Amino acid sequence: MEKSAEHIVVNDKVIMLKMDKGLDSEEHKHFGACGGNITAFNGTLISPNYPHYYPPNTNCVWRIMVPDPNFQFRIQFPTLKLEGVQPDCEKDWISVNGIRYCGEHDRTVVVPSASSTLTVKFHTDASVSSVGFRAEYSSFNPAGECQGMHTCGDGRCELMSNKCDGWVHCKDRSDELNCVCTSDQFRCQNNMCKPLIWVCDGVDDCEDMSDEANCDCAAGFFACHRNSCMPISALCDGNIDCPHGMDEADCEKIDVNCTTNTYKCADGKCIVKPNAECDKVQDCLDLSDELDCDCGNQLAIRRRIVNGNDAVIGEWPWQVSLHFATLGHTCGATLINNWWLLSASHCFQNAESYRYSDRQLWTVYIGMHSLTFTDSGIERRLIKRMIIHEQFDNITMDYDIALLELSAPVRYTSYIQPVCLPSPLHVFPANQRCYVTGWGLLQEGGRLPVILQKGEVRIINQTTCNNFMGNILTSRMLCAGYLTGEVDACEGDSGGPLVCEELSGKWFQAGIVSWGQGCGRYGHPGVYTRITKFREWIHRNIGIDGNT
Ligand code: 4AZ
């Protein structure tokens, strides 16, 4: 058996013919069969009736063997929705080589098996049922598949230089496990190594909070944020060292030279404080930093659902759904004031049979949560004026920004609020947790949701992202998501927002969903239009005199 993927597929097809039953997933779906003995290098298992609810009182056993004993299996679950609660899983469960899994998982669960056989059991009790599972199993040769490279649990090969560098590259995190930390790294409680400079920076990089624990500051250090420590010399030095720029806040340095680390007041004076706008502290002598701050407020909700996918009603009150002709939801947008929406230029480019550039063919829904129109308080508008950025390039996707003027203004409610637009110098630091929201496809090539979806993504450093993407990003673009894929925007989310919460509790829009190679793919995070580059353009076009 050779190592190339093509061979695996070819062999797989040959070997699939030898299966005990007609065990291709389609046949399971059609005949309701479940379980059986399989000899294959890779394949797919689904629960009976998938993607519809599985039947009660079901027991299935699959025994899977890889034809080459030098190979090992891994199995991953792109969908796993079973009644029950981990770890007991007393209701419905699936087990892989004796370990049970149940409940709802909104990210792929990867189970390395370290063995050339897989025994997968599926059990359901007599009570409530759910969507079930879709499992993809594949095999790899741990001895030689990734010569000179690291083999991830899902078989991907990763450069050795990516191993133990603090960034997770493999979906199963195996490139960051069992590392010997270097002198400039911190050893997390879970044994991952992270750069020392990430310790006590307010971001849970270890994912077990160990890099953010015990952050009481020693002499000569000050607390940045959530007890994180920095040398005193970093205070008010004009450089942003702490998350949210806390080390440059309250420095009382007004009328300093305007640089990339300063905020410019309406009177032209600069202050050494990043993200000073609308932070509920009056910094500029002319008070301009706290003017026009009726934005970015979540009025209808008190807390968010952790790790949920469905948004809570009123959680993203600036989110707008743009419906094209008879196609229904087609793009997202955000409300930036009573009259204007922000969206992506590429949503309004004509396609073969659709005149997307015709403003009269669009309908705008504001205050929407479910595409079924069941919520009260939805405002419907037409588009009076469409402003596409004059430098939009539909090949490179540069300048992917558009403004839409509403046919009539909207009144703000708990469910309809504008988002805050960041000043050109607003900093969204790498690793900051932000949210992308929209009614886009749930998976690449998948279906559209009915309820507004939210996904937590992290801002990715521009240089890191550009390296990954082959240097095709411009300075008007920003990456967010995960280099390993997983949470991402997709078709239909375009034009919608990437928003980040500031310490003041206000939400600022960092990006507009623009493009990406596929959705949630490994090494291809979502690319967004970088809003800080456009506040002056936005203000010029909607008739507000910008101060920057
Ligand atoms: C799209 O087709 C699209 N994964 C939007 C965002 C992304 C990919 C595609 C990002 O509108």
Side-chain angles (χ1 to χ4, degrees):
M1 171 71 205
E2 287 186 23
K3 291 153 205 142
S4 71
E6 294 81 44
H7 262 91
I8 289 180
V9 173
V10 171
N11 281 343
D12 192 24
K13 281 197 176 137
V14 172
I15 287 173
M16 292 284 258
L17 298 174
K18 295 185 189 163
M19 285 190 277
D20 281 11
K21 299 184 180 181
L23 284 169
D24 122 44
S25 56
E26 279 304 306
E27 291 178 41
H28 275 295
K29 218 185 309 184
H30 292 133
F31 299 119
C34 96
N37 294 334
I38 304 171
T39 304
F41 283 100
N42 54 34
T44 303
L45 307 177
I46 52 171
S47 46
N49 287 344
Y50 182 86
H52 304 293
Y53 278 32
Y54 50 77
N57 295 322
T58 301
N59 284 295
C60 324
V61 182
W62 290 270
R63 289 196 176 80
I64 312 169
M65 236 173 76
V66 63
D68 182 336
N70 294 321
F71 274 58
Q72 287 184 2
F73 273 123
R74 70 188 71 87
I75 182 163
Q76 59 182 44
F77 294 88
T79 310
L80 186 55
K81 289 190 175 164
L82 304 177
E83 259 274 296
V85 183
Q86 206 92 29
D88 296 336
C89 296
E90 280 168 347
K91 296 184 167 190
D92 304 337
W93 48 263
I94 183 159
S95 73
V96 179
N97 290 352
I99 299 176
R100 285 186 189 182
Y101 300 87
C102 64
E104 296 217 349
H105 299 261
D106 60 0
R107 293 203 188 164
T108 297
V109 179
V110 182
V111 182
S113 88
S115 135
S116 57
T117 58
L118 273 181
T119 304
V120 179
K121 296 183 181 172
F122 179 51
H123 165 84
T124 70
D125 66 8
S127 71
V128 192
S129 127
S130 185
V131 168
F133 68 85
R134 178 182 157 78
E136 288 163 6
Y137 60 92
S138 54
S139 57
F140 63 103
N141 184 342
E145 198 174 23
C146 296
Q147 278 157 344
M149 297 174 85
H150 170 74
T151 311
C152 303
D154 61 1
R156 272 177 210 285
C157 303
E158 270 301 336
L159 290 175
M160 275 304 180
S161 56
N162 288 339
K163 196 164 159 48
C164 301
D165 66 349
W167 294 92
V168 175
H169 294 81
C170 297
K171 281 190 174 168
D172 65 349
R173 294 180 154 58
S174 59
D175 58 313
E176 294 301 319
L177 299 177
N178 305 318
C179 298
V180 177
C181 303
T182 57
S183 60
D184 56 357
Q185 287 181 323
F186 170 78
R187 181 164 204 88
C188 303
Q189 206 160 5
N190 59 19
N191 288 334
M192 293 213 280
C193 301
K194 299 286 173 185
L196 269 180
I197 53 163
W198 292 358
V199 174
C200 296
D201 67 349
V203 177
D204 176 18
D205 299 289
C206 289
E207 298 180 37
D208 61 5
M209 282 307 279
S210 55
D211 57 316
E212 296 303 313
N214 306 318
C215 290
D216 286 343
C217 302
F221 288 76
F222 71 96
C224 274
H225 168 50
R226 282 198 234 143
N227 293 337
S228 58
C229 299
M230 285 296 285
I232 295 275
S233 56
L235 266 178
C236 298
D237 65 351
N239 293 317
I240 301 157
D241 302 292
C242 302
H244 300 290
M246 291 300 287
D247 55 315
E248 298 302 318
D250 305 322
C251 293
E252 298 205 353
K253 286 189 184 172
I254 296 186
D255 204 11
V256 297
N257 286 340
C258 302
T259 68
T260 48
N261 282 321
T262 58
Y263 175 81
K264 194 173 182 186
C265 307
D267 59 9
K269 294 186 172 156
C270 282
I271 56 171
V272 183
K273 181 178 184 185
N275 306 353
E277 75 273 28
C278 301
D279 69 349
K280 301 184 181 167
V281 178
Q282 287 179 342
D283 299 292
C284 296
L285 291 177
D286 64 3
L287 310 183
S288 56
D289 57 310
E290 295 303 313
L291 293 179
D292 299 322
C293 289
D294 183 11
C295 62
N297 298 315
Q298 292 170 313
L299 298 184
I301 62 152
R302 284 193 202 89
R303 66 186 161 86
R304 268 167 274 135
I305 297 175
V306 179
N307 289 334
N309 272 338
D310 285 359
V312 178
I313 292 189
E315 192 174 17
W316 314 107
W318 38 83
Q319 175 80 51
V320 173
S321 172
L322 302 180
H323 290 218
F324 178 75
T326 54
L327 297 187
H329 173 86
T330 300
C331 266
T334 48
L335 188 67
I336 57 169
N337 66 27
N338 306 99
W339 277 101
W340 286 93
L341 305 181
L342 195 59
S343 188
S345 277
H346 84 260
C347 288
F348 310 104
Q349 302 300 306
N350 289 338
E352 258 169 40
S353 37
Y354 297 111
R355 291 202 333 271
Y356 290 113
S357 66
D358 184 346
R359 65 174 176 81
Q360 297 183 27
L361 296 178
W362 290 86
T363 310
V364 171
Y365 294 98
I366 310 162
M368 194 153 205
H369 174 67
S370 163
L371 293 178
T372 55
F373 294 92
T374 41
D375 317 304
S376 55
I378 299 175
E379 291 287 326
R380 178 179 177 276
R381 295 288 184 277
L382 299 177
I383 297 177
K384 183 162 140 191
R385 191 152 47 120
M386 194 179 255
I387 302 175
I388 306 296
H389 198 289
E390 49 284 2
Q391 285 165 274
F392 171 64
D393 182 327
N394 65 1
I395 295 173
T396 62
M397 298 297 256
D398 208 3
Y399 297 92
D400 193 8
I401 188 168
L403 284 163
L404 309 172
E405 189 177 7
L406 300 174
S407 51
V410 281
R411 221 157 23 94
Y412 299 151
T413 67
S414 295
Y415 306 102
I416 298 181
Q417 288 286 318
V419 69
C420 295
L421 294 181
S423 87
L425 297 174
H426 195 110
V427 183
F428 295 102
N431 237 7
Q432 183 173 7
R433 291 165 197 265
C434 300
Y435 279 85
V436 57
T437 55
W439 288 273
L441 300 182
L442 293 172
Q443 266 182 358
E444 191 176 334
R447 64 181 176 86
L448 285 171
V450 170
I451 303 291
L452 178 62
Q453 301 290 298
K454 64 179 172 188
E456 189 190 86
V457 288
R458 289 210 190 190
I459 303 285
I460 299 174
N461 172 287
Q462 187 82 350
T463 313
T464 309
C465 194
N466 222 351
N467 287 342
F468 253 82
M469 308 282 274
N471 282 316
I472 54 173
L473 301 182
T474 71
S475 61
R476 272 80 49 190
M477 300 172 188
L478 172 157
C479 300
Y482 302 88
L483 294 175
T484 47
E486 304 183 36
V487 186
D488 193 11
C490 202
E491 216 178 311
D493 290 320
S494 286
L498 170 72
V499 282
C500 312
E501 188 177 16
E502 285 298 316
L503 284 178
S504 59
K506 283 181 178 284
W507 289 84
F508 282 74
Q509 186 170 355
I512 302 168
V513 178
S514 178
W515 63 279
Q517 289 171 13
C519 310
R521 286 193 200 170
Y522 178 89
H524 297 289
V527 184
Y528 297 78
T529 310
R530 189 182 281 274
I531 307 245
T532 49
K533 296 283 176 192
F534 292 101
R535 201 169 76 164
E536 191 272 333
W537 178 85
I538 294 169
H539 284 179
R540 184 157 31 93
N541 280 284
I542 67 179
I544 297 176
D545 287 333
N547 58 3
T548 49

